[in-house]
Amino acid sequence: MFTSEYDVVMAATGPLQRAVTSAARQANLGGRDRAALALAKRYAADLDNGGDLDKLGPRLLAVLDALVLTPKALAAITKGVTGDKPTADPVDELRSRRAARQHGPASVDQAAP
C-alpha cells in the first residue's frame, strides 16, 4: 500500500503537517534547519488537532518564514538577486547630494548669501 517511509508519515498526519512536510521536502532543507522544522511540524500538528489558531497560527507562520517556506519570505530573499533594479551605491548617492547642495539652485531669498 505505501511505497516509502514518506508515504507512511504523510498518511498518519493532518493536512497542515502534510503541507509543512511537503514544503520542507521540496525546499530540500538541510540539517541546520532540523530544529526549526520540528517546531513547525509541532505547531502544525497542534493546529491539526484543534489548537488555538489565533495563538499558534502566527507562530507557525513565523517559523515557516524563518525556513523560507512562504512566498513572502522567498520574495524577500530573492528580491535583490533577480537583477530587476540595481541598487545604488550609498557613497555615490551621498556624493550626488553634496554636489547638488554646492552647485544647486540659488536660494529663494536673493539677499541671502
Side-chain angles (χ1 to χ4, degrees):
M1 180 172 166
F2 297 113
T3 59
S4 70
E5 181 181 332
Y6 175 76
D7 292 332
V8 173
V9 169
M10 295 302 278
T13 59
L16 281 175
Q17 280 181 285
R18 287 193 297 272
V20 168
T21 301
S22 178
R25 185 178 175 133
Q26 290 176 8
N28 199 20
L29 297 177
R32 61 183 167 72
D33 299 318
R34 195 172 300 154
L37 181 57
L39 182 60
K41 288 180 180 180
R42 174 64 189 261
Y43 286 151
D46 288 350
L47 286 166
D48 282 337
N49 293 322
D52 184 3
L53 180 61
D54 291 333
K55 179 180 175 186
L56 296 173
R59 292 179 183 181
L60 174 59
L61 184 59
V63 175
L64 294 175
D65 279 342
L67 291 169
V68 193
L69 293 179
T70 65
K72 177 183 171 186
L74 185 60
I77 286 180
T78 59
K79 187 176 185 180
V81 178
T82 61
D84 292 343
K85 186 172 156 183
T87 57
D89 183 14
V91 175
D92 289 339
E93 196 172 311
L94 290 173
R95 285 182 183 139
S96 66
R97 285 185 193 172
R98 182 184 208 188
R101 275 196 319 265
Q102 289 176 347
H103 307 293
S107 65
V108 176
D109 184 3
Q110 298 300 326

